[in-house]
Coordinates of all heavy atoms in Angstrom, one line a residue:
T13 N -42.4 101.1 -1.9 CA -41.1 100.3 -1.7 C -40.1 101.1 -2.5 O -38.9 101.3 -2.3 CB -41.2 98.9 -2.0 OG1 -42.0 98.3 -1.0 CG2 -39.8 98.1 -2.0
L74 N -24.4 101.8 -9.8 CA -25.0 100.8 -9.0 C -25.0 99.6 -9.6 O -25.3 99.4 -10.7 CB -26.6 101.3 -8.8 CG -27.3 100.3 -8.1 CD1 -27.0 100.2 -6.6 CD2 -28.8 100.6 -8.2
W107 N -30.5 88.0 -2.6 CA -30.1 86.6 -2.2 C -28.6 86.6 -1.8 O -27.9 85.8 -2.0 CB -30.4 85.5 -3.3 CG -31.8 85.4 -3.7 CD1 -32.4 86.0 -4.7 CD2 -32.8 84.6 -3.1 NE1 -33.7 85.7 -4.8 CE2 -34.0 84.9 -3.7 CE3 -32.8 83.9 -1.8 CZ2 -35.3 84.3 -3.4 CZ3 -34.0 83.3 -1.5 CH2 -35.2 83.5 -2.2
A111 N -24.0 84.3 -0.7 CA -22.6 84.7 -0.7 C -22.0 84.9 0.7 O -21.0 85.6 1.0 CB -22.4 86.0 -1.6

Side-chain angles (χ1 to χ4, degrees):
T13 297
L74 171 72
W107 298 96

